[in-house]
Amino acid sequence: MTVIESGSEPRPQSRPESRPQSMSASAHQGPFTISEVSVLTGLSAPTLRWYEEIGVLPAVERTHTGRRVFSDRDVEWLSCVTALRLTGMPVAEMVRFAALVHLGAESYDERREILERTRRDVLGRIAELRSALSVIDTKIEFYAGGVGRVPREASEEMPDGASEGASAEVSEGA
């Protein structure tokens, strides 16, 4: 099944930022159940199953009863996958990257190219976010009464028909 055929992506039930800091794969050696991996990674069980179904996660070992048994290596890979997802990498590209990893050393160059492109995208996004943060900081400073705020006396000298609120918004720049 391809990413296209599988339909929409299941939403993780918790964000990776909410991962328990005290629990890590190195602190608890595998094998892991799907519930344990969910706690370790912050990914929901349905997301873990979906990642396996579409090929982002290589086939996970199973017990004789069919239950998934995750290894330390699986958990490490999911840490990488989570980081790639946080960069905004499309799921289809994550599937491609996973397939390249499966090919081994012969795919190092292509994997490096994908990661370099992703890094450039992340750096561009960081620059955009820094710019947006600067605007937000300026607004916070304005609303806190900092630099650039129109003194009350100046707003009272508005031409006929202009309101005091308009003065503040105009001088504030929106």
Side-chain angles (χ1 to χ4, degrees):
M1 175 175 286
T2 67
V3 174
I4 309 294
E5 294 168 345
S6 69
S8 64
E9 173 185 358
R11 295 275 180 203
Q13 291 177 351
S14 64
R15 304 283 301 164
E17 301 85 33
S18 64
R19 275 184 241 150
Q21 297 299 315
S22 61
M23 193 170 199
S24 69
S26 60
H28 177 69
Q29 298 298 310
F32 303 97
T33 65
I34 197 165
S35 297
E36 291 170 326
V37 172
S38 182
V39 169
L40 286 168
T41 64
L43 299 169
S44 69
T47 297
L48 292 168
R49 290 183 195 103
W50 184 69
Y51 278 177
E52 182 182 15
E53 180 182 330
I54 65 172
V56 168
L57 179 62
V60 176
E61 287 189 40
R62 308 281 178 136
T63 65
H64 69 283
T65 60
R67 292 194 178 267
R68 288 171 178 83
V69 179
F70 294 82
S71 68
D72 292 324
R73 190 173 187 155
D74 293 328
V75 174
E76 288 174 25
W77 174 246
L78 285 166
S79 175
C80 177
V81 166
T82 300
L84 294 176
R85 192 70 181 124
L86 285 173
T87 69
M89 180 183 279
V91 173
E93 189 156 17
M94 291 170 50
V95 171
R96 173 72 180 139
F97 189 80
L100 290 170
V101 169
H102 185 69
L103 290 176
E106 70 186 65
S107 67
Y108 278 6
D109 288 340
E110 192 172 351
R111 283 189 266 168
R112 189 190 75 253
E113 289 170 12
I114 290 171
L115 293 175
E116 286 173 348
R117 183 176 54 248
T118 301
R119 185 176 193 280
R120 283 190 304 270
D121 293 346
V122 168
L123 289 172
R125 184 69 178 133
I126 288 170
E128 291 171 347
L129 289 171
R130 282 190 175 137
S131 177
L133 183 60
S134 175
V135 170
I136 290 169
D137 288 344
T138 300
K139 295 295 184 185
I140 290 170
E141 188 175 328
F142 174 83
Y143 292 124
V147 176
R149 187 141 188 196
V150 177
R152 183 147 179 85
E153 302 82 44
S155 65
E156 292 172 352
E157 298 173 12
M158 292 294 295
D160 291 339
S163 70
E164 184 175 318
S167 169
E169 289 299 312
V170 168
S171 66
E172 178 190 352

